[in-house]
């Protein structure tokens, strides 16, 4: 089969779409031509990650080869260097444009690098384990709820137990995800020592935004839960001091936890002793600050 890819189209996307259209489950492809932008990656085996390089301009695709079952292919490019007045070559693995499903998976698991084969396999294993766990809990919970209703006929007690077990199940699943992604280095972020400060500032701003978002959600849910049973006046619930303080407290705690977790994923150069020492000092001060803030908020909330 011969495939022509027009200007502006993604190479790997076009190949995979063609394979899906003609139901080609396994094939190898070869190609040549030209392109205006190439994103290639150097695989770092110790980190299980790709170091990405982007090149734009008039690029001649000298060689392209790969398989439709993989998320990347191997390519060699050439281009004219006006400074040296010579032809130069570069090439490695070309990276595929991320789909919406890939972006959702990376957002859910907190992955910042490319979703390579190693990470996909590990995430599939984690997801399968959680699915089996949730299915087992749901079957067991349905059986227990049926027994409680038949023996006590107390719907409120049954509902309280079901909701409590479901919440514990959610927290257990999230804890398992955090543990496994940390243990297998799926969420680590490798940055240069000089870029560590900017990366931390980015995560701190993101944590503030997540804290505000979580506070608004908790505020709305608390009002909705208090309003639904009696369907009374809504204005007093909106201005209830305990509801507002509880939402603010939840948002601050959630923002601190998320910021601490993401900052802890940053991995800089371990050979830079000065950076490592500063990193340890910042970690100690951050832990002390979190303890002080949480203790103060608990006293105020109480």
């Amino acid at each position: 089969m011969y495939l022509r890819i027009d200007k502006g189209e993604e190479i790997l996307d076009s190949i995979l779409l063609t394979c899906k259209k003609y139901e080609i489950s396994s094939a190898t492809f070869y190609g040549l031509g030209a392109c205006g932008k190439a994103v290639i990656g150097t695989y770092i085996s110790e980190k299980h990650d790709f170091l990405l390089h982007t090149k734009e301009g008039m690029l001649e695709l000298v060689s392209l080869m790969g398989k439709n079952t993989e998320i990347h292919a191997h390519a060699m490019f050439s281009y004219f260097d006006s400074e040296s007045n010579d032809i130069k070559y570069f090439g490695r693995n070309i990276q595929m444009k991320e789909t919406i499903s890939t972006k959702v998976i990376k957002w859910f698991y907190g992955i910042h690098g490319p979703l390579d084969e190693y990470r996909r396999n590990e995430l599939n294993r984690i997801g399968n384990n959680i699915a089996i766990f949730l299915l087992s809990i749901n079957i067991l919970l349905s059986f227990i709820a049926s027994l409680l209703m038949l023996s006590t006929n107390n719907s409120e007690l049954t509902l309280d137990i079901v909701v409590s077990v479901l919440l514990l199940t959610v927290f257990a699943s999230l804890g398992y995800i955090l543990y496994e992604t940390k243990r297998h280095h799926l969420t680590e972020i490798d940055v240069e020592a000089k870029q560590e400060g900017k990366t931390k500032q980015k995560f701190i701003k993101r944590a503030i935004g997540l804290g505000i978002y979580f506070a608004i959600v908790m505020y709305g849910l608390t009002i909705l839960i208090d309003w639904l049973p009696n369907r009374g006046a809504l204005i007093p619930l909106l201005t209830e001091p305990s509801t507002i303080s509880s939402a603010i407290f939840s948002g601050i705690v959630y923002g601190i936890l998320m910021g601490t977790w993401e900052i802890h994923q940053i991995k800089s150069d371990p050979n830079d002793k000065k950076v490592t020492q500063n990193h340890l000092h910042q970690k100690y001060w951050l832990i002390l600050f979190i303890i002080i803030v949480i203790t103060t908020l608990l006293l105020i909330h109480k």
Side-chain angles (χ1 to χ4, degrees):
M1 175 184 292
Y2 292 93
L3 175 63
R4 174 189 172 91
I5 301 175
D6 294 327
K7 184 178 180 180
E9 295 180 341
E10 292 285 341
I11 296 177
L12 296 184
D13 282 349
S14 301
I15 294 174
L16 293 180
L17 287 175
T18 301
C19 291
K20 290 180 180 179
K21 179 179 178 180
Y22 293 98
E23 299 181 353
I24 302 174
S25 58
S26 179
T28 57
F29 57 84
Y30 304 91
L32 49 83
C35 60
K37 179 180 179 181
V39 180
I40 62 175
T42 304
Y43 188 74
I44 310 299
S45 58
E46 295 83 4
K47 302 177 181 179
H48 302 289
D49 199 356
F50 284 90
L51 179 62
L52 300 183
H53 317 273
T54 302
K55 185 68 176 178
E56 297 187 29
M58 182 58 191
L59 308 174
E60 181 181 356
L61 180 58
V62 180
S63 174
L64 171 68
M65 58 186 301
K67 297 179 180 180
N68 67 331
T69 56
E70 298 179 353
I71 60 173
H72 64 270
H74 301 278
M76 177 63 71
F77 299 90
S78 68
Y79 67 96
F80 177 73
D81 186 8
S82 57
E83 295 181 358
S84 61
N85 198 28
D86 196 6
I87 302 296
K88 292 189 175 181
Y89 299 87
F90 72 100
R92 285 179 185 86
N93 300 314
I94 60 174
Q95 302 299 306
M96 180 179 175
K97 185 178 179 181
E98 290 184 345
T99 61
I100 296 178
S101 61
T102 301
K103 292 180 179 179
V104 171
I105 292 173
K106 290 176 63 176
W107 172 82
F108 180 80
Y109 287 100
I111 295 176
H112 298 274
L115 192 61
D116 53 22
E117 185 176 358
Y118 169 77
R119 283 174 169 163
R120 283 184 180 273
N121 292 336
E122 290 298 324
L123 294 181
N124 288 336
R125 180 185 61 80
I126 294 172
N128 289 336
N129 291 340
I130 291 177
I132 295 173
F133 171 71
L134 293 179
L135 179 61
S136 304
I137 291 295
N138 285 334
I139 294 174
L140 181 62
L141 188 60
S142 301
F143 178 72
I144 294 175
S146 301
L147 289 180
L148 285 174
M149 285 298 297
L150 292 174
S151 59
T152 63
N153 198 24
N154 190 337
S155 59
E156 293 184 0
L157 175 62
T158 304
L159 181 61
D160 290 340
I161 294 176
V162 170
V163 171
S164 301
V165 173
L166 288 177
L167 288 176
L168 290 175
T169 303
V170 170
F171 289 131
S173 301
L174 292 176
Y176 174 75
I177 291 175
L178 293 176
Y179 172 76
E180 286 294 312
T181 53
K182 177 68 176 178
R183 187 166 72 96
H184 294 280
H185 310 285
L186 302 180
T187 56
E188 288 184 353
I189 308 166
D190 295 309
V191 297
E192 297 180 0
K194 59 183 179 180
Q195 297 293 331
E196 186 176 358
K198 293 182 179 179
T199 306
K200 287 183 179 179
Q201 291 179 2
K202 176 183 176 181
F203 287 153
I204 290 174
K205 292 179 181 179
R206 181 181 177 184
I208 293 173
L210 290 174
I212 295 173
Y213 171 77
F214 189 78
I216 294 174
V217 171
M218 292 302 298
Y219 176 72
L221 287 177
T222 304
I223 293 174
L224 183 63
I225 292 173
D226 293 339
W227 178 76
L228 281 176
N230 299 323
R231 307 285 178 95
L234 190 60
I235 300 300
L237 296 176
L238 295 174
T239 57
E240 178 67 29
S242 61
T243 302
I244 298 175
S245 61
S246 177
I248 294 175
F249 170 76
S250 302
I252 292 175
V253 173
Y254 182 77
I256 291 175
L257 291 176
M258 293 303 298
T260 305
W261 172 258
E262 290 195 334
I263 289 176
H264 188 62
Q265 306 306 312
I266 298 175
K267 301 296 180 183
S268 58
D269 186 5
N271 298 321
D272 193 338
K273 296 181 180 180
K274 182 178 179 181
V275 173
T276 304
Q277 188 176 8
N278 292 336
H279 180 71
L280 290 175
H281 289 164
Q282 291 174 3
K283 183 184 292 186
Y284 295 148
W285 281 110
L286 181 61
I287 293 173
L288 180 61
F289 174 74
I290 292 173
I291 294 173
I292 294 174
V293 169
I294 293 178
T295 304
T296 305
L297 290 174
L298 285 174
L299 292 174
I300 295 174
H301 186 65
K302 183 177 181 181

